[in-house]
């Protein structure tokens, strides 16, 4: 009367071990996917756009340096440096990566 029958049971979660691991990792995977599409991918696109902008600077372009100085490119010295005229007769050398924006595109170099 007081003794009940014992039914054989598996331990909780013993039969679906792989599914439990997947369900515990799934939120982290979803967060990573969302971060990739909202943060990492647009940042890579911006970096590519900036690299193209810096690579395509030519003589005659009006630029703004990182310090806020506006000038006109008078000479492209090499892949890393530009000669910029910041006032009448005042020329300075600027590192290409120090350019923050190109305001006015100059004319193409005539050959």
């Amino acid at each position: 009367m007081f003794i009940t029958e014992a039914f054989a049971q598996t331990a909780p979660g013993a039969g679906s071990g792989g599914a439990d691991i997947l369900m515990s990792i799934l939120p982290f995977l979803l967060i990573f996917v969302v971060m990739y599409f909202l943060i990492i991918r647009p940042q890579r696109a911006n970096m590519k756009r900036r690299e193209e902008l810096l690579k395509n600077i030519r003589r005659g372009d009006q630029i703004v340096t990182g310090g806020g100085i506006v000038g006109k490119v008078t000479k492209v010295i090499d892949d890393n440096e530009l000669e910029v005229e910041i006032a009448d007769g005042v020329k300075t050398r600027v590192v290409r990566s120090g350019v923050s924006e190109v305001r006015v595109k100059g004319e193409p170099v005539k050959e």
Side-chain angles (χ1 to χ4, degrees), residues 78-107:
D78 59 15
D79 290 342
N80 294 324
E81 290 185 11
L82 308 167
E83 186 177 90
V84 179
E85 185 175 18
I86 57 176
D88 291 332
V90 179
K91 295 179 182 178
T92 184
R93 291 171 70 152
V94 177
V95 177
R96 195 178 286 253
S97 62
V99 175
S100 63
E101 91 179 77
V102 177
R103 285 230 176 130
V104 179
K105 295 299 275 182
E107 297 178 9

Side-chain angles (χ1 to χ4, degrees), residues 4-40:
T4 59
E5 295 180 20
F7 295 101
Q9 294 181 356
T10 59
S16 61
D20 287 340
I21 292 172
L22 180 65
M23 293 304 288
S24 64
I25 294 175
L26 188 63
F28 295 109
L29 291 175
L30 290 174
I31 289 171
F32 179 75
V33 167
V34 168
M35 283 182 59
Y36 175 78
F37 282 106
L38 292 179
I39 297 171
I40 298 170

